[in-house]
Amino acid sequence: MENMSPTAASRSLQNRIDITRDPFSDLGSPLLVYKHRGRDGLYMEVARRFSSSPPGQDPVQERRPCIDHFTFTDQHGSSLDFNLTTHPHALLFETQRGAFQLAIREGDTFAIGLPPKTRCGVMFRVHPPLRIPSIHDDNLGRFPRLECKTTAPRLEQKIIPTGRGVEVKLKCHTGEDDALHLHITTGDQPNPQAIPFSQVLKTSADRWRDWFARVPALHGPHQDLYHYAWWVLGNNLIHPQGSIPFPGVMPSKTKYIGIWNWDACFHALALRHMDPELARDQLRIILAHQKANGMLPDAVHQDGVVDWIDHPFPNFVTKPPILAWAALKIHEVDPQPSFLEEIYPKAVAWHDWWFSGADEDGLAQYHHPYASGLDDSPLWDHGFPVTSPDLNTYLVIQRESLADISRILGEEKQAAAWLEGADELTERMMEHLYAPELGYFPAKNGGQLIPAFTPFNLYPLWTGRLPSSIQNRLLEHLKDQRKFWSAFPLATVAMDSPSFDPHTMWRGPTWVNINYLFIQALSRIGEDHLAHELRQRTLALLGNHPGLFEYYHPQTGQPPAEAAPMFSWTAAVVIDLLLGWKKQGKASFRKEGEKVHG
């Protein structure tokens, strides 16, 4: 397959990156650079948990700028206005004093390229937990610290403590290729020596050139969206650190710090097309932290894992079981039986763990809302545990996937047993969850039907095992424009329901990963026209905006205020819908009763 031209990608992305919304970062780096909206000036964050975060601040999702009020200054120390040009590898700031540039050096260093042969500088404020060694000498080892260096002959520093932090003013006389280096470090990490900015710029440009050179080429009306989606994935990539043993893609460095279980599987869908080993590593990160009982954590961050949460009530947390399905998706593009052999026993243990808390009908249950991935869905408004059709559908698909893996590994009897188990679990759902009077699969709590109506009550379509009478009832609901088939489908709560709220995460907004799974389901059951329409509407929704967001208003298509920008699984779905549609079309989806092929 032809690969993307890095030059074409760079041209496409020039000024496409809006750093008032999507921070400038770099492949593998936790550093983030934003511009204030409506005025000149930058601020910086670090996409990393700090155990020493200020009291009352969640170290994962409530980061505040560690560097703020960052401006470029003239010879008098006065702030300079600038015109900004953004690129994947660098930012260019045109001022009356000349051009400043910013790139991220390998590691945790902001490199500022300075205009040649002039007197200029920068000024900014440093906020906790970031410390400056020259004025903070108390327990520096516990806190991240900022160290400043330059290639210029002499650096003038003025550091002034303020009520909320420290104000820093840096000035120097520049030569032809000078740079300021602002290095953020913790522990005993050495501060690298300052190097000319041209070296930093070349290294950064080369990193992005190599990234885009591995990306399959795509031509046509969605090309710019496609390039941008690959930038989002690369910009959310981090290097191995602490408990993260492989390079991993964060959901969004702006909000979600770590590698999330469910998200990793969706990220792998796109990464398999450009770097199958990186795709496999997304799954390995999660599997590296499997508990002895088979449970996989909700998320992994550099200091450990998230597998227990105290709110809204204390319990273990994980994410829906789609890992074996994702592994097979990678295998479709880059067959590696050794990887399937590596993960098979862990995937089996993960599958079996879900049934350790099954209900009296032998159906798996959720015991915490966050374990579903649908954190605040109205499905959970009536208490726990919940027997839900989405979870048991995932487990049917997992059994099919484990059957495929067994057959690929030469275990024919085991494959047959898994397929029999998939049939049996589908029968249990039809017997104990399907409500003929409603025409869908309501969730249950304590044996009582939960009144919330969501597309997750239609999930068993994906099994491809339902009688046509049930399948048709589910399809009627899915296509109902009063319920789920909105202007920008699929609404995640029926729009005529009292619990519908298009601004609140899983209480109404459209999530493209759910659209993706329904596209898979519709293709499998032969509803090719409807699958194609949902794919086209999904791409139209995403093409309507300059960014890629966590979720969208199903009627207006706008991203609600709380939706995270620069969202990786949205980017991954874009990529796989554009690249994978023809390659993994209906021929790759088994119809009911067909045999599994290795």
mmCIF file of all heavy atoms in Angstrom, residues 227-245:
data_model
loop_
_atom_site.group_PDB
_atom_site.id
_atom_site.type_symbol
_atom_site.label_atom_id
_atom_site.label_comp_id
_atom_site.label_asym_id
_atom_site.label_seq_id
_atom_site.Cartn_x
_atom_site.Cartn_y
_atom_site.Cartn_z
ATOM 1 N N HIS A 227 -5.544 13.327 7.641
ATOM 2 C CA HIS A 227 -4.236 13.790 8.127
ATOM 3 C C HIS A 227 -4.347 14.281 9.570
ATOM 4 O O HIS A 227 -3.489 13.978 10.411
ATOM 5 C CB HIS A 227 -3.728 14.943 7.251
ATOM 6 C CG HIS A 227 -3.381 14.540 5.855
ATOM 7 N ND1 HIS A 227 -3.121 15.455 4.871
ATOM 8 C CD2 HIS A 227 -3.244 13.316 5.272
ATOM 9 C CE1 HIS A 227 -2.839 14.827 3.735
ATOM 10 N NE2 HIS A 227 -2.918 13.532 3.960
ATOM 11 N N TYR A 228 -5.394 15.047 9.819
ATOM 12 C CA TYR A 228 -5.573 15.595 11.166
ATOM 13 C C TYR A 228 -5.785 14.478 12.186
ATOM 14 O O TYR A 228 -5.258 14.537 13.305
ATOM 15 C CB TYR A 228 -6.757 16.559 11.168
ATOM 16 C CG TYR A 228 -7.042 17.164 12.515
ATOM 17 C CD1 TYR A 228 -6.226 18.159 13.039
ATOM 18 C CD2 TYR A 228 -8.120 16.728 13.276
ATOM 19 C CE1 TYR A 228 -6.475 18.704 14.285
ATOM 20 C CE2 TYR A 228 -8.383 17.268 14.518
ATOM 21 C CZ TYR A 228 -7.564 18.257 15.025
ATOM 22 O OH TYR A 228 -7.809 18.788 16.259
ATOM 23 N N ALA A 229 -6.534 13.444 11.825
ATOM 24 C CA ALA A 229 -6.764 12.323 12.742
ATOM 25 C C ALA A 229 -5.450 11.625 13.101
ATOM 26 O O ALA A 229 -5.227 11.260 14.264
ATOM 27 C CB ALA A 229 -7.751 11.333 12.119
ATOM 28 N N TRP A 230 -4.558 11.468 12.116
ATOM 29 C CA TRP A 230 -3.260 10.861 12.420
ATOM 30 C C TRP A 230 -2.427 11.782 13.314
ATOM 31 O O TRP A 230 -1.675 11.304 14.176
ATOM 32 C CB TRP A 230 -2.500 10.538 11.134
ATOM 33 C CG TRP A 230 -2.925 9.246 10.506
ATOM 34 C CD1 TRP A 230 -3.570 9.069 9.319
ATOM 35 C CD2 TRP A 230 -2.732 7.935 11.051
ATOM 36 N NE1 TRP A 230 -3.793 7.735 9.090
ATOM 37 C CE2 TRP A 230 -3.280 7.012 10.127
ATOM 38 C CE3 TRP A 230 -2.155 7.448 12.214
ATOM 39 C CZ2 TRP A 230 -3.272 5.636 10.341
ATOM 40 C CZ3 TRP A 230 -2.138 6.076 12.438
ATOM 41 C CH2 TRP A 230 -2.685 5.191 11.515
ATOM 42 N N TRP A 231 -2.557 13.094 13.119
ATOM 43 C CA TRP A 231 -1.852 14.011 14.020
ATOM 44 C C TRP A 231 -2.368 13.866 15.440
ATOM 45 O O TRP A 231 -1.573 13.859 16.391
ATOM 46 C CB TRP A 231 -2.021 15.458 13.545
ATOM 47 C CG TRP A 231 -1.446 16.422 14.540
ATOM 48 C CD1 TRP A 231 -0.122 16.755 14.699
ATOM 49 C CD2 TRP A 231 -2.149 17.136 15.565
ATOM 50 N NE1 TRP A 231 0.031 17.633 15.753
ATOM 51 C CE2 TRP A 231 -1.200 17.885 16.305
ATOM 52 C CE3 TRP A 231 -3.497 17.220 15.930
ATOM 53 C CZ2 TRP A 231 -1.558 18.703 17.378
ATOM 54 C CZ3 TRP A 231 -3.858 18.032 17.002
ATOM 55 C CH2 TRP A 231 -2.888 18.760 17.706
ATOM 56 N N VAL A 232 -3.685 13.742 15.617
ATOM 57 C CA VAL A 232 -4.253 13.588 16.958
ATOM 58 C C VAL A 232 -3.675 12.358 17.639
ATOM 59 O O VAL A 232 -3.257 12.411 18.809
ATOM 60 C CB VAL A 232 -5.796 13.511 16.884
ATOM 61 C CG1 VAL A 232 -6.383 13.031 18.217
ATOM 62 C CG2 VAL A 232 -6.379 14.875 16.525
ATOM 63 N N LEU A 233 -3.616 11.235 16.939
ATOM 64 C CA LEU A 233 -3.063 10.025 17.544
ATOM 65 C C LEU A 233 -1.596 10.218 17.920
ATOM 66 O O LEU A 233 -1.159 9.820 19.005
ATOM 67 C CB LEU A 233 -3.204 8.831 16.596
ATOM 68 C CG LEU A 233 -4.586 8.196 16.476
ATOM 69 C CD1 LEU A 233 -4.530 7.001 15.534
ATOM 70 C CD2 LEU A 233 -5.124 7.754 17.825
ATOM 71 N N GLY A 234 -0.818 10.823 17.014
ATOM 72 C CA GLY A 234 0.592 11.050 17.313
ATOM 73 C C GLY A 234 0.783 12.038 18.447
ATOM 74 O O GLY A 234 1.662 11.870 19.301
ATOM 75 N N ASN A 235 -0.028 13.077 18.483
ATOM 76 C CA ASN A 235 0.100 14.094 19.518
ATOM 77 C C ASN A 235 -0.269 13.554 20.898
ATOM 78 O O ASN A 235 0.178 14.069 21.921
ATOM 79 C CB ASN A 235 -0.791 15.296 19.179
ATOM 80 C CG ASN A 235 -0.212 16.614 19.652
ATOM 81 O OD1 ASN A 235 0.983 16.857 19.519
ATOM 82 N ND2 ASN A 235 -1.042 17.472 20.207
ATOM 83 N N ASN A 236 -1.098 12.495 20.944
ATOM 84 C CA ASN A 236 -1.495 11.877 22.212
ATOM 85 C C ASN A 236 -0.591 10.706 22.609
ATOM 86 O O ASN A 236 -0.851 10.046 23.616
ATOM 87 C CB ASN A 236 -2.952 11.410 22.143
ATOM 88 C CG ASN A 236 -3.928 12.537 22.381
ATOM 89 O OD1 ASN A 236 -3.677 13.425 23.185
ATOM 90 N ND2 ASN A 236 -5.056 12.517 21.679
ATOM 91 N N LEU A 237 0.447 10.438 21.826
ATOM 92 C CA LEU A 237 1.365 9.342 22.134
ATOM 93 C C LEU A 237 2.334 9.744 23.242
ATOM 94 O O LEU A 237 2.808 10.881 23.286
ATOM 95 C CB LEU A 237 2.157 8.973 20.875
ATOM 96 C CG LEU A 237 3.099 7.773 20.972
ATOM 97 C CD1 LEU A 237 2.318 6.471 21.063
ATOM 98 C CD2 LEU A 237 4.038 7.741 19.768
ATOM 99 N N ILE A 238 2.604 8.824 24.159
ATOM 100 C CA ILE A 238 3.612 9.042 25.195
ATOM 101 C C ILE A 238 4.618 7.903 25.182
ATOM 102 O O ILE A 238 4.313 6.786 24.777
ATOM 103 C CB ILE A 238 2.990 9.178 26.601
ATOM 104 C CG1 ILE A 238 2.155 7.941 26.943
ATOM 105 C CG2 ILE A 238 2.177 10.454 26.720
ATOM 106 C CD1 ILE A 238 1.751 7.870 28.398
ATOM 107 N N HIS A 239 5.830 8.198 25.651
ATOM 108 C CA HIS A 239 6.864 7.175 25.774
ATOM 109 C C HIS A 239 6.583 6.286 26.978
ATOM 110 O O HIS A 239 5.849 6.680 27.900
ATOM 111 C CB HIS A 239 8.233 7.834 25.949
ATOM 112 C CG HIS A 239 8.738 8.527 24.726
ATOM 113 N ND1 HIS A 239 8.741 7.936 23.485
ATOM 114 C CD2 HIS A 239 9.286 9.766 24.552
ATOM 115 C CE1 HIS A 239 9.251 8.765 22.605
ATOM 116 N NE2 HIS A 239 9.584 9.887 23.217
ATOM 117 N N PRO A 240 7.170 5.090 27.021
ATOM 118 C CA PRO A 240 7.055 4.260 28.231
ATOM 119 C C PRO A 240 7.547 5.036 29.449
ATOM 120 O O PRO A 240 8.550 5.745 29.383
ATOM 121 C CB PRO A 240 7.974 3.071 27.922
ATOM 122 C CG PRO A 240 8.067 3.020 26.433
ATOM 123 C CD PRO A 240 7.983 4.443 25.980
ATOM 124 N N GLN A 241 6.831 4.898 30.541
ATOM 125 C CA GLN A 241 7.226 5.575 31.779
ATOM 126 C C GLN A 241 6.569 4.867 32.946
ATOM 127 O O GLN A 241 5.370 4.575 32.925
ATOM 128 C CB GLN A 241 6.815 7.047 31.755
ATOM 129 C CG GLN A 241 5.357 7.293 31.401
ATOM 130 C CD GLN A 241 4.989 8.759 31.343
ATOM 131 O OE1 GLN A 241 4.504 9.314 32.302
ATOM 132 N NE2 GLN A 241 5.239 9.387 30.199
ATOM 133 N N GLY A 242 7.357 4.529 33.955
ATOM 134 C CA GLY A 242 6.809 3.913 35.155
ATOM 135 C C GLY A 242 6.049 2.640 34.843
ATOM 136 O O GLY A 242 6.589 1.680 34.291
ATOM 137 N N SER A 243 4.760 2.632 35.196
ATOM 138 C CA SER A 243 3.931 1.446 35.009
ATOM 139 C C SER A 243 3.463 1.242 33.577
ATOM 140 O O SER A 243 2.794 0.252 33.285
ATOM 141 C CB SER A 243 2.702 1.532 35.928
ATOM 142 O OG SER A 243 3.088 1.535 37.284
ATOM 143 N N ILE A 244 3.796 2.173 32.684
ATOM 144 C CA ILE A 244 3.431 2.036 31.272
ATOM 145 C C ILE A 244 4.651 1.479 30.537
ATOM 146 O O ILE A 244 5.594 2.216 30.248
ATOM 147 C CB ILE A 244 2.996 3.391 30.688
ATOM 148 C CG1 ILE A 244 1.791 3.935 31.464
ATOM 149 C CG2 ILE A 244 2.655 3.260 29.204
ATOM 150 C CD1 ILE A 244 1.358 5.330 31.056
ATOM 151 N N PRO A 245 4.661 0.175 30.231
ATOM 152 C CA PRO A 245 5.892 -0.458 29.733
ATOM 153 C C PRO A 245 6.135 -0.290 28.234
ATOM 154 O O PRO A 245 7.203 -0.654 27.753
ATOM 155 C CB PRO A 245 5.675 -1.936 30.072
ATOM 156 C CG PRO A 245 4.189 -2.115 30.043
ATOM 157 C CD PRO A 245 3.600 -0.809 30.499
#
